Amino acid sequence: MFEAHNVTDAELAHRPVKVALILALGAMITLGNVAVVAVIASSVSGWSRNSRYFLLSLTGADSAFGLVVMPLNLCVSLVKDVSAGPDPLCHAVAFFNSTVYSTCMYTLASISLERYVAVFYPLQYTALLTRRRTLLMIAFAWLFPPVLLLPISLPEGIIRVHFSAASLVCNPAYSSNVAYSLTLTGFLFFPCSIVMTYCNLRLWVAAKRQRLKLRQHSLNGRSRPDVASRVLVPVMTVYYTCWTPCMVTMLYNAISGNHVPEWVEFVAVWLPTSNGFLNCICYFWINRSFRKKFRAIIHRLCLGLCPQIGKVLGCTDAAGVHEVRGVLENNNTLQERSSSVSSTCTLLTLAPQGTFIR
């Protein structure tokens, strides 16, 4: 994204602070996604098999931020002389960076599309999203970006890569090829953004109409909680907040050939990785079934690994054990056609089954 430039004393002085921020963010991403995998690897009430496939794919892409992107770039920042020119190692790291970023965006778009089909075409859900089609969509999200981004990995190719002391990242110098930068943006950010915006906007409008209709026919006059705004608005807000600065900065540098200020570059480059942690909140922790299953797993671990500590914490009462068993033994009781990701399940609870307004 950014051309190499002379390292300033300020950039060297700020490096320990940046490394600490990256390590903290990496720890949050890893711990958050480990908890997510522990829950969705088993059955969660209201989540279909296809939903778990998509969500596991998203968790894998998010985990790659903390397990691949951050360690690789931090290692390069320690061993590479920032005054040196591009080398094969930096090209390889830049290729992994761009691939993980792109896979995450495609996976987010796939989840939005699956949620859209589950809500607006519930009767055709299993026919439209078969297991084979679901796996093909996931495979496309993981395999298409490496093919598209292959030129970045070639040291003698058309894309030059430099290590940026401002962001501590190996970045493709897209300003050397404006056409490629625009093509990359057109195949990644804009298509995924269009799909996500359209699907989530349609879901939000439909949920608003349904909520208004239920309010008009409510006998007790009580208004239902605005679940649509509480779920869909944060999803889109987090997405655009994390990804837009990076894409805008990339286009600005490619077109103008200038460099943005040091901390602007650092924030713009690393904001997309924070999406790996915020996705845990937007897609998982706001869902009641997920939180209940997570508490049940922690409860069982508490009883199995640390029974004495569990006794002190009150984890051994009969009622609690009975509830934990009920949650852990619960297999998907909802039909697959009415299952989707967390926000869809929440939206469907706004109305009795079969009354959702299209």
Side-chain angles (χ1 to χ4, degrees):
M1 296 175 191
F2 308 98
E3 291 281 6
H5 58 281
N6 294 330
V7 182
T8 64
D9 293 337
E11 290 174 341
L12 293 176
H14 296 158
R15 175 171 292 191
V17 178
K18 296 175 182 176
V19 171
L21 291 175
I22 294 172
L23 290 175
L25 181 59
M28 293 168 59
I29 293 173
T30 302
L31 292 176
N33 284 282
V34 166
V36 168
V37 170
V39 176
I40 63 177
S42 59
S43 61
V44 180
S45 177
W47 288 1
S48 68
R49 179 185 59 189
N50 289 344
S51 297
R52 291 201 299 274
Y53 286 159
F54 282 115
L55 293 174
L56 283 171
S57 176
L58 176 64
T59 304
D62 289 340
S63 300
F65 285 134
L67 299 177
V68 177
V69 172
M70 292 180 176
L72 284 178
N73 287 279
L74 288 178
C75 289
V76 172
S77 68
L78 295 176
V79 303
K80 182 176 174 59
D81 183 0
V82 295
S83 63
D87 57 26
L89 175 61
C90 215
H91 274 271
V93 173
F95 172 74
F96 281 111
N97 293 345
S98 303
T99 299
V100 172
Y101 282 20
S102 304
T103 299
C104 185
M105 280 193 287
Y106 273 110
T107 304
L108 288 171
S110 299
I111 290 176
S112 296
L113 185 61
E114 189 265 350
R115 178 171 56 229
Y116 177 86
V117 173
V119 171
F120 287 97
Y121 303 97
L123 298 178
Q124 294 84 23
Y125 178 83
T126 54
L128 293 175
L129 284 180
T130 62
R131 181 176 181 270
R132 181 174 180 273
R133 290 178 179 176
T134 298
L135 295 179
L136 285 176
M137 291 176 63
I138 294 174
F140 177 82
W142 283 88
L143 298 179
F144 178 69
V147 175
L148 181 66
L149 301 168
L150 185 62
I152 298 177
S153 64
L154 305 177
E156 304 300 329
I158 60 175
I159 303 298
R160 290 181 293 132
V161 174
H162 296 276
F163 177 77
S164 171
S167 59
L168 302 185
V169 170
C170 287
N171 287 313
Y174 288 106
S175 58
S176 63
N177 193 327
V178 178
Y180 188 83
S181 176
L182 296 176
T183 302
L184 194 64
T185 308
F187 276 101
L188 297 177
F189 179 70
F190 290 112
C192 296
S193 300
I194 291 172
V195 171
M196 289 189 65
T197 302
Y198 175 79
C199 293
N200 286 284
L201 184 60
R202 285 290 310 276
L203 290 170
W204 182 80
V205 171
K208 282 288 187 180
R209 291 177 178 175
Q210 181 69 5
R211 182 168 176 263
L212 179 60
K213 186 175 181 63
L214 291 175
R215 181 188 300 176
Q216 293 174 350
H217 292 82
S218 177
L219 297 178
N220 53 21
R222 292 185 303 175
S223 60
R224 295 176 179 266
D226 189 3
V227 182
S229 297
R230 197 167 65 224
V231 174
L232 299 178
V233 172
V235 166
M236 295 308 303
T237 301
V238 166
Y239 173 79
Y240 279 109
T241 300
C242 291
W243 292 99
T244 302
C246 181
M247 298 300 155
V248 171
T249 305
M250 182 184 72
L251 291 176
Y252 170 80
N253 287 348
I255 295 174
S256 67
N258 298 325
H259 294 282
V260 297
E262 172 193 359
W263 281 101
V264 173
E265 177 181 330
F266 178 81
V267 172
V269 169
W270 287 104
L271 258 183
T273 62
S274 66
N275 196 201
F277 172 73
L278 296 176
N279 282 338
C280 296
I281 299 175
C282 292
Y283 287 90
F284 301 101
W285 294 107
I286 59 176
N287 181 264
R288 183 179 302 174
S289 297
F290 179 89
R291 296 196 304 269
K292 188 174 182 180
K293 190 65 175 287
F294 178 76
R295 287 195 297 267
I297 291 176
I298 295 300
H299 199 129
R300 172 164 287 188
L301 289 176
C302 180
L303 294 177
L305 300 179
C306 306
Q308 295 179 347
I309 297 178
K311 185 176 181 179
V312 174
L313 296 177
C315 295
T316 58
D317 59 280
V321 172
H322 179 73
E323 180 181 358
V324 170
R325 287 178 179 174
V327 174
L328 290 174
E329 293 173 359
N330 173 39
N331 293 322
N332 292 329
T333 58
L334 298 180
Q335 295 181 4
E336 187 165 317
R337 66 179 178 85
S338 62
S339 301
S340 184
V341 294
S342 58
S343 56
T344 300
C345 296
T346 308
L347 288 175
L348 290 175
T349 61
L350 291 175
Q353 186 175 5
T355 61
F356 195 87
I357 303 300
R358 295 186 181 180

